């Protein structure tokens, strides 16, 4: 499901940015619950940019629709397998999802 060309400007576009490959200037330490919330926000933003419902994403990824809801709200900690399934369903790579997660985590700053 590629991103919509009419997507709002604050949409997360999951594309490779050569500058984002630089090492992080300083590590950011956030708790597990906060990491789950941040990753859930990445999934939600990517899904919404593609104008896909939670149910359609769940079907495409082979997951239950309630799991997608819980994940997007930061109430589930996805396994690597789930991250791969989500990436494939969103027509992205796992590294693109994780790169977007890292960018949001860095923007948040130390907790």
């Amino acid at each position: 499901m590629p991103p919509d060309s009419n997507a709002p400007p604050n949409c997360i576009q999951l594309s490779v940015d050569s500058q984002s490959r630089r090492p992080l200037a300083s590590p950011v330490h956030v708790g597990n619950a906060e990491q789950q919330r941040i990753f859930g926000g990445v999934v939600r933003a990517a899904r919404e940019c593609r104008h896909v419902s939670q149910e359609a994403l769940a079907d495409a990824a082979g997951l239950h629709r309630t799991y997608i809801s819980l994940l997007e709200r930061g109430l589930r900690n996805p396994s690597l397998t789930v991250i791969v399934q989500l990436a494939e369903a969103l027509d992205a790579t796992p590294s693109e999802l994780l790169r977007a997660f890292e960018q949001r985590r860095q923007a948040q700053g130390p907790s």
Side-chain angles (χ1 to χ4, degrees):
M1 297 175 220
D4 187 337
S5 60
N6 297 323
N10 62 345
C11 258
I12 292 178
Q13 298 298 322
L14 299 176
S15 60
V16 176
D17 176 9
S18 61
Q19 290 186 354
S20 68
R21 294 183 184 171
R22 293 177 291 157
L24 301 175
S26 61
V28 175
H29 301 285
V30 295
N32 192 48
E34 186 61 15
Q35 290 180 38
Q36 288 173 206
R37 188 191 66 73
I38 294 168
F39 187 77
V42 167
V43 172
R44 174 175 285 156
R47 177 182 61 77
E48 288 176 346
C49 283
R50 289 156 175 78
H51 302 285
V52 175
S53 69
Q54 288 180 341
E55 187 172 7
L57 175 59
D59 287 345
L63 301 167
H64 196 276
R65 64 179 173 75
T66 58
Y67 182 82
I68 299 297
S69 173
L70 293 167
L71 181 73
E72 288 184 356
R73 290 183 287 144
L75 300 175
R76 288 293 177 266
N77 192 13
S79 66
L80 180 57
T81 300
V82 168
I83 292 171
V84 170
Q85 288 172 276
L86 289 168
E88 289 174 353
L90 292 166
D91 196 31
T93 65
S95 63
E96 288 173 321
L97 289 177
L98 293 173
R99 188 173 300 112
F101 164 78
E102 278 298 320
Q103 289 170 346
R104 283 188 173 202
R105 197 175 83 139
Q106 281 294 313
Q108 185 145 359
S111 54

